[in-house]
Amino acid sequence: MKKILFTFLLVASICLKAQTTFWTEGFGTGCNQLQAANGLNPGGNGTWTVSILGAEDPQANTWFISATENGNAVGACGTGCGTNQTLHVASIPNSSGLTFCASGDCGASYDAGGTSAFGGTSTGTNKRVESPVINCTGHSTITLAFKYMENGQGAADDASLWYFDGTTWANINALAKTTLCGGQGKWTAFTLTLPASADNNPNVKIGFLWVNDDDGAGTDPSFAVDDVTLTDAATTSNPVVTITPLPSATVCITSTLTLNGFATNGPITSYSWTVTPPIGATFIPNATTPTVSVTFSVQGTYTFNLTATNASGTGNTTQIITVTPLAVSSVNIAANPSNPVCPGTVISFTALPTNAGTNPNYQWQVNGTNAGTNAQTFTPALASNNNDVISVTLTPTASCTSPSNASYTVQVSALITPTITILAFPSGTVCPGTIITFSANNSGAGANPAYQWQVNGVNAGTNASTFVAPILLNNDVVTVTVTPAVSCATTGAASYTVHVSATITPSVSITVSPSATVCTGSIITFSATPSNGGATPIFQWIKNGINSGTNSPTYTLIPANGDQVYVLLTSSALCALPLTVSSNTIIITVGAGTPITTGTTSTICTGDSTTLSSTGTNWVWTPATNLSCTNCQHPIASPTVTTIYTVTATSGACTSTATQTVIVNPSATAIFATSGAVIGVPQTINFINGSLNSTGYLWDFGDNSGTIVVTNPSHTYNTVGIYTVTLIAYGANSCNNTTTLTIIVADTAGLSMPNIFTPNGDGVNDVFQPNAHGLTSLTCTIYDRWGIKITDLDTSAQQYWDGHTTSGIACSDGTYFYILKATDVNGKTYSLKGFIQLIR
């Protein structure tokens, strides 16, 4: 069972003396609680790392570098947080078995886990902390020394020392438990000679492994270590020097050569490099380290010498390096088939190398993505797309050559779909037995494509762009298939459905108007009615066997008795047979008599009437609208618009037609109104003219004052009476109109006074004003209740009081008085006094 430590562990340090100390790790200073060891460089030697060697629990112990376990002297007890950092094992934050240290890293104090009294679980640990690489070149018989403290639980919770020789880790010491010191750990010195494999080894590491079996048993401290040193033994022999060139003793002029120098019998106090010839080789960073890098600017053979010095003397060796010129390698790509290709084409690519050596390496890519295998040829599994970039990187096997690459951009031509059309001559619907010539027009099929014609799916014709078909039937289908003569084109086809019309028979008949029996001098009109004549038939009229008239379906003439008329129709309809047919023949009879006549043209105004007249008998008038009768000789016509009336009548043995025109001019409409009621004299009245269709006006005001010619007059009546006002509105063509209005001028005067008003600006009863009419004069003075005059009213200037003084001051609410004098139109005088109530 792990026990709780209430103070931190105490550590002591013993400085081990050796011939030469060449590596020291003191882990730094400062308390730095919870500073994890993994990835930390506390002493400037490099980074310490932590490796997990087996299964671990979520709350496993971990390695910290901090002074929560202070690095005390050898023989001293452990203490808490100081300034000398140590490498130690502690619990992580909130590890459930450390209730006294919930923050974690309380020095070399750990949670043993299991079913401890403190409830800890899941702390199984198997961690090794590993030093940075220690270069032991030039050192032999190496002694490792450090101070440490350790407890735990036997081998179950235990620390051990490990060694790395550059290849393999090995457990080289179990590290005995140290003595307890007043309940804390005691710092104890430890020394160990490293295995011989560490001598002159540049890749040495040391490590400390901590395991915890999570059984809940164990006693603090866990493990802590400080002041790690490596020393070597004194030597009495001169250094023995060797040189290993990397990559080899023969390099290219552009290469950087690494010369790994090594000397035994250390410690080595200095290294010195020289080269012959001295021109053309440059040391990086300088010539005083055992391992150097060299670059070359001149090809040739160089001799390098390395001298190493120790306390006994010097040793040296040489290395010959051959610098060769750089050979240029290159690669090209051949494609089969080459550009351009059609869509869907699978292309094989071949790399063509130069100066590549035997069996060079190839890396193919498609659009930057690795593809194919390490082979000189590459055939993508799928067809390439337009602008796909196929590239290859060549890695030569020949010496002094560098990789090279090449690329090939695939050009895929667009897939051409030819456009095929068929032209037929004649085109459209044809008649039975018509021979049709078909022509194939193509776009995108090349100059000399192949043609295959078919009729209703059966091959016909020859390999030609034209095809003369045999006699075809209605709905026969003519097809042509065109095989292009250009690459990347598909086969195109077109079809044409033949429409054959049935044969039709044209015919024509004629009529005559008004009849075939007319009076001398009458005009008659023949009309042709065709059947199957087509859209543009041709008419040829024949009178008495001689061509007459024009190409028109009507024919007009003044006939002679016995004239014979018919028409020839040439049909424009498709498949008409026969093409030209004759109509029936009409024989004209011209009887005795005289054509009827009508009256002359009449002109009336709108709303007026006129009388029509005709000679002969049996009258029929049209149109019937606005006629008093339609079958009388003299109907009365009242049209509203200009109208042509036609009459058909009998004169002797002949019936004929005549016309009479009635022209209707619009009439003026006289309309007027007055400005208002007439009260008292003298009285001026304004007349408002609203007449329509008028060009002038004449006014008579009914008082023997004469007439005037104005549009909107004013007239003053000075005498009481009843007057008739007349307005004449003149229209075009004497289509005038007259209207009248009665005006009553009364002998009446009146006067009344309001007794209250409210000048508050609301637009209602805002002023005081006498209600007067029929007066010739009026004066009114207003006083306040103290007899002070407020204002004067009269009929020529101020006619109302707005509740203010003459200086514009608003009068207060209250009672005011007035004195009024007036005279009416009859000479009657008025004298009034009263009061006014002003309320705001």
Side-chain angles (χ1 to χ4, degrees):
M1 181 68 66
K2 179 184 179 299
K3 71 174 185 177
I4 300 176
L5 297 181
F6 293 96
T7 59
F8 288 98
L9 302 178
L10 184 62
V11 187
S13 175
I14 298 176
C15 296
L16 298 178
K17 294 185 178 179
Q19 189 67 32
T20 304
T21 299
F22 64 91
W23 192 87
T24 300
E25 178 64 83
F27 298 108
T29 59
C31 182
N32 296 320
Q33 185 175 15
L34 287 172
Q35 181 172 259
N38 188 44
L40 199 64
N41 181 3
N45 295 313
T47 301
W48 288 76
T49 57
V50 175
S51 297
I52 298 174
L53 303 188
E56 283 200 331
D57 289 334
Q59 295 181 329
N61 310 150
T62 194
W63 290 96
F64 293 97
I65 296 177
S66 72
T68 56
E69 186 64 61
N70 196 57
N72 296 332
V74 173
C77 297
T79 60
C81 198
T83 60
N84 185 11
Q85 295 185 157
T86 63
L87 172 64
H88 54 268
V89 174
S91 298
I92 64 173
N94 298 315
S95 184
S96 59
L98 282 182
T99 55
F100 76 96
C101 184
S103 63
D105 184 21
C106 292
S109 176
Y110 78 108
D111 180 0
T115 56
S116 69
F118 309 104
T121 58
S122 302
T123 63
T125 307
N126 197 344
K127 281 188 177 76
R128 182 174 65 208
V129 62
E130 301 166 358
S131 73
V133 174
I134 304 171
N135 186 359
C136 295
T137 302
H139 304 284
S140 59
T141 314
I142 299 171
T143 300
L144 169 64
F146 53 81
K147 60 184 179 184
Y148 79 105
M149 63 168 65
E150 179 195 358
N151 204 332
Q153 183 199 4
D157 297 352
D158 190 42
S160 55
L161 174 64
W162 289 66
Y163 161 74
F164 179 69
D165 63 3
T167 303
T168 305
W169 280 97
N171 184 345
I172 59 173
N173 194 277
L175 291 178
K177 310 295 187 182
T178 60
T179 304
L180 294 178
C181 179
Q184 306 298 318
K186 179 183 287 187
W187 284 100
T188 304
F190 177 87
T191 59
L192 176 76
T193 301
L194 293 181
S197 60
D199 293 351
N200 295 304
N201 188 339
N203 294 306
V204 171
K205 289 184 181 181
I206 61 170
F208 301 96
L209 173 66
W210 173 258
V211 294
N212 173 7
D213 67 352
D214 192 32
D215 64 355
T219 304
D220 286 337
S222 50
F223 179 78
V225 65
D226 194 16
D227 296 337
V228 181
T229 61
L230 293 179
T231 61
D232 63 357
T235 181
T236 57
S237 301
N238 290 348
V240 177
V241 183
T242 59
I243 299 174
T244 303
L246 290 177
S248 68
T250 300
V251 296
C252 302
I253 193 170
T254 58
S255 300
T256 297
L257 173 68
T258 299
L259 297 175
N260 291 311
F262 177 75
T264 61
N265 300 327
I268 305 300
T269 57
S270 66
Y271 292 90
S272 177
W273 290 88
T274 59
V275 60
T276 302
I279 303 302
T282 301
F283 290 99
I284 302 173
N286 52 55
T288 59
T289 58
T291 298
V292 295
S293 295
V294 184
T295 59
F296 300 94
S297 59
V298 179
Q299 66 187 55
T301 300
Y302 296 83
T303 300
F304 288 88
N305 180 80
L306 174 59
T307 300
T309 303
N310 64 10
S312 299
T314 61
N316 64 75
T317 189
T318 60
Q319 174 69 49
I320 296 176
I321 300 297
T322 301
V323 179
T324 62
L326 183 66
V328 178
S329 66
S330 63
V331 64
N332 290 313
I333 297 176
N336 185 24
S338 59
N339 285 331
V341 297
C342 298
T345 304
V346 176
I347 309 172
S348 178
F349 300 92
T350 302
L352 305 177
T354 302
N355 293 332
T358 304
N359 298 320
N361 291 320
Y362 300 92
Q363 177 58 66
W364 293 91
Q365 288 187 326
V366 177
N367 299 325
T369 301
N370 290 348
T373 60
N374 179 19
Q376 189 172 358
T377 60
F378 168 54
T379 302
L382 300 175
S384 299
N385 298 315
N386 189 40
N387 292 325
D388 273 357
V389 177
I390 310 299
S391 58
V392 64
T393 298
L394 169 71
T395 303
T397 56
S399 62
C400 295
T401 55
S402 59
S404 59
N405 55 67
S407 63
Y408 184 96
T409 300
V410 178
Q411 297 174 0
V412 179
S413 298
L415 185 65
I416 300 173
T417 301
T419 301
I420 311 299
T421 58
I422 295 178
L423 300 179
F425 182 79
S427 61
T429 302
V430 298
C431 299
T434 301
I435 302 298
I436 306 175
T437 299
F438 298 92
S439 298
N441 287 347
N442 76 82
S443 173
N448 295 297
Y451 299 89
Q452 178 58 65
W453 295 89
Q454 289 185 327
V455 177
N456 298 326
V458 178
N459 290 350
T462 60
N463 179 16
S465 61
T466 59
F467 168 54
V468 180
I471 295 175
L472 299 173
L473 302 177
N474 189 41
N475 292 326
D476 278 353
V477 177
V478 176
T479 304
V480 64
T481 300
V482 179
T483 302
V486 295
S487 61
C488 301
T490 60
T491 299
S495 62
Y496 184 96
T497 301
V498 177
H499 297 288
V500 180
S501 175
T503 300
I504 61 173
T505 302
S507 64
V508 63
S509 63
I510 62 173
T511 59
V512 64
S513 178
S515 70
T517 301
V518 295
C519 300
T520 302
S522 296
I523 299 174
I524 61 174
T525 299
F526 295 88
S527 298
T529 303
S531 175
N532 294 329
T536 57
I538 298 174
F539 300 91
Q540 177 59 67
W541 293 92
I542 308 294
K543 185 183 78 169
N544 301 326
I546 299 172
N547 290 349
S548 184
T550 61
N551 178 20
S552 171
T554 60
Y555 170 48
T556 300
L557 79 159
I558 299 175
N561 188 42
D563 280 350
Q564 298 184 19
V565 177
Y566 66 93
V567 72
L568 295 177
L569 169 71
T570 301
S571 176
S572 65
L574 182 66
C575 305
L577 190 69
L579 188 63
T580 301
V581 293
S582 176
S583 72
N584 56 306
T585 300
I586 295 178
I587 300 174
I588 303 301
T589 300
V590 178
T594 303
I596 63 170
T597 61
T598 58
T600 60
T601 298
S602 302
T603 299
I604 63 174
C605 298
T606 303
D608 292 343
S609 301
T610 188
T611 300
L612 307 180
S613 64
S614 173
T615 61
T617 61
N618 302 321
W619 306 275
V620 178
W621 293 89
T622 58
T625 304
N626 298 316
L627 288 180
S628 61
C629 60
T630 59
N631 55 2
C632 56
Q633 184 177 11
H634 303 291
I636 298 173
S638 304
T640 57
V641 295
T642 298
T643 303
I644 298 175
Y645 291 96
T646 301
V647 62
T648 301
T650 301
S651 177
C654 300
T655 298
S656 60
T657 299
T659 62
Q660 184 173 349
T661 300
V662 178
I663 299 174
V664 180
N665 290 317
S667 294
T669 300
I671 303 171
F672 74 92
T674 63
S675 58
V678 178
I679 300 175
V681 290
Q683 178 65 46
T684 299
I685 298 177
N686 297 321
F687 295 92
I688 303 168
N689 190 346
S691 301
L692 305 175
N693 300 322
S694 304
T695 59
Y697 309 96
L698 180 66
W699 294 87
D700 186 336
F701 300 107
D703 60 353
N704 298 319
S705 60
T707 59
I708 62 172
V709 182
V710 294
T711 302
N712 295 298
S714 294
H715 185 69
T716 301
Y717 291 92
N718 295 307
T719 306
V720 173
I722 299 173
Y723 302 95
T724 299
V725 180
T726 302
L727 168 63
I728 301 175
Y730 294 98
N733 301 306
S734 299
C735 292
N736 309 327
N737 186 241
T738 300
T739 188
T740 61
L741 181 66
T742 299
I743 301 296
I744 299 175
V745 179
D747 182 14
T748 302
L751 175 65
S752 64
M753 300 297 288
N755 59 6
I756 189 171
F757 76 114
T758 57
N760 55 11
D762 63 356
V764 177
N765 197 27
D766 278 340
V767 298
F768 167 75
Q769 185 176 22
N771 297 319
H773 58 270
L775 301 179
T776 58
S777 67
L778 181 148
T779 60
C780 180
T781 302
I782 298 172
Y783 302 89
D784 64 14
R785 57 183 172 177
W786 292 283
I788 298 173
K789 185 172 73 171
I790 301 301
T791 187
D792 288 317
L793 306 179
D794 59 49
T795 57
S796 61
Q798 183 176 351
Q799 299 180 2
Y800 61 87
W801 179 40
D802 61 1
H804 292 73
T805 66
T806 55
S807 60
I809 299 174
C811 296
S812 61
D813 291 4
T815 302
Y816 295 82
F817 301 90
Y818 66 85
I819 298 174
L820 180 145
K821 293 181 180 182
T823 304
D824 66 16
V825 294
N826 299 314
K828 180 180 178 180
T829 62
Y830 299 85
S831 180
L832 299 176
K833 296 180 180 180
F835 66 89
I836 312 158
Q837 190 71 29
L838 186 154
I839 301 175
R840 291 192 180 276

